[in-house]
Amino acid sequence: MDDIERLREMIGSAQRIVAFTGAGISTESGIPDFRSPGGIWSRYKPIYFDDFMASEEMRRESWRRKFATDEVMLAAEPNAGHRALAKLVEQGRMTAVITQNIDGLHQRSGVPDAKVIELHGNATYASCLDCGHRHELEPIKKAFLGHGKLPLCEKCDGIVKTATISFGQAMPEIAMARAQDATLACDLFIVLGSSLVVYPAAGFPRLAKRMGACLVIVNRDPTDQDQDADMVIHGEIGATMSRAVGVN
Ligand code: NAD
Ligand code: ZN
């Protein structure tokens, strides 16, 4: 029996599966990850939250980057990896998809909002940092690219930022609590496409293992937690999960 068949059996006998996804599940949709060679990391240094707040020039740079990379995210469609998870959720076997991704592709693949837990927010819309009011990107893009105008909240004049969590920004409390509950209750925890170096997110697989769940890691490259896992598959997510779940 090979590893994918073993994973298929583990999925078949688990009651409450949780997926934990990173940028690697979306590379087959054409969105580059951070840490693979040629990834976003090698081109852009991250903008820390305090710098975004303190400097208009940083806010300008942040929106410049956003709209320079926007087309790729807008054009992306869910792939076989996203679809495999959507099927497990639909079957009632996967209780939650905890994601570090900000691309919204789990929801687009058919996983209901209530089952997707976004630890790092969502880059497909923006929100006011003061009152939380949601802002769509299209008008912001027009005003920024057309007149160099930085977005301010129409309700309260607060600073508007993509609805993502930057380095140095507080984690979303509700999402963290939901992720913890799902992790504590699961019997199989599957990591897909994360290098597991960004904390606190990368603490969830450790927590799952500590609480007695089976831990499986599916990732092209080795991760920091391979030695703790019950099974590690160093392969492509789409092909692996299609076979393990039985979808295309
Ligand atoms: P990462 O870039 O650190 O790691 C991605 C991992 O996925 C790598 O180890 C790589 O080997 C693996 N991988 C890439 N494509 C794969 C494939 N097809 N099959 C199997 N493995 C594959 O990503 P991370 O751990 O998610 O951390 C980066 C942070 O960047 C996260 O916080 C995330 O929010 C953000 N990010 C998100 C997106 C997105 O939303 N799609 C894209 C880039 C970065
Ligand atoms: Zn506001």
Side-chain angles (χ1 to χ4, degrees):
M1 194 190 292
D2 72 7
D3 279 347
I4 299 181
E5 280 164 45
R6 270 182 61 217
L7 176 57
R8 194 183 169 88
E9 290 206 339
M10 286 162 100
I11 287 173
S13 56
Q15 306 291 318
R16 290 172 311 280
I17 308 168
V18 165
F20 176 90
T21 67
I25 198 171
S26 294
T27 57
E28 292 171 55
S29 296
I31 302 175
D33 62 12
F34 263 160
R35 290 177 185 79
S36 291
I40 297 171
W41 224 227
S42 52
R43 281 186 286 142
Y44 292 132
K45 272 225 288 274
I47 296 174
Y48 281 74
F49 185 65
D50 285 351
D51 296 331
F52 179 92
M53 294 306 285
S55 145
E56 186 180 312
E57 191 37 48
M58 281 300 181
R59 293 199 282 282
R60 207 166 278 290
E61 173 60 14
S62 160
W63 285 108
R64 219 178 278 134
R65 287 181 191 182
K66 168 67 188 157
F67 295 130
T69 53
D70 206 25
E71 300 295 325
V72 174
M73 208 172 275
L74 288 173
E77 296 288 339
N79 66 55
H82 298 106
R83 285 194 293 277
L85 303 189
K87 182 168 175 189
L88 291 174
V89 171
E90 190 191 325
Q91 292 171 339
R93 311 171 44 66
M94 181 164 277
T95 53
V97 178
I98 304 174
T99 188
Q100 302 177 84
N101 293 347
I102 54 179
D103 54 31
L105 289 180
H106 288 299
Q107 293 90 327
R108 297 242 330 266
S109 73
V111 181
D113 282 348
K115 303 272 180 182
V116 181
I117 303 172
E118 291 176 322
L119 296 180
H120 295 160
N122 191 306
T124 65
Y125 60 94
S127 54
C128 170
L129 290 170
D130 286 338
C131 76
H133 182 65
R134 175 178 166 135
H135 294 248
E136 301 309 324
L137 291 176
E138 209 37 54
I140 296 178
K141 187 175 186 175
K142 263 203 189 120
F144 182 74
L145 296 181
H147 320 285
K149 193 167 168 279
L150 284 171
L152 284 179
C153 179
E154 66 222 28
K155 301 252 181 242
C156 77
D157 261 358
I159 291 177
V160 173
K161 178 178 171 293
T162 54
T164 51
I165 305 297
S166 299
F167 284 102
Q169 187 172 359
M171 293 294 283
E173 276 173 36
I174 293 173
M176 287 297 284
R178 285 175 62 209
Q180 177 162 329
D181 288 349
T183 302
L184 293 177
C186 78
D187 56 359
L188 174 59
F189 190 99
I190 310 177
V191 176
L192 301 136
S194 173
S195 56
L196 298 178
V197 297
V198 178
Y199 281 84
F204 288 110
R206 289 193 192 283
L207 177 64
K209 183 69 201 151
R210 206 163 57 237
M211 298 309 287
C214 221
L215 176 62
V216 174
I217 297 178
V218 181
N219 205 64
R220 189 190 285 154
D221 297 300
T223 79
D224 281 5
Q225 296 184 36
D226 284 6
Q227 73 281 1
D228 305 322
D230 296 282
M231 181 161 71
V232 179
I233 298 180
H234 286 151
E236 296 300 301
I237 293 166
T240 303
M241 293 309 287
S242 304
R243 257 184 71 204
V245 177
V247 288
N248 303 305

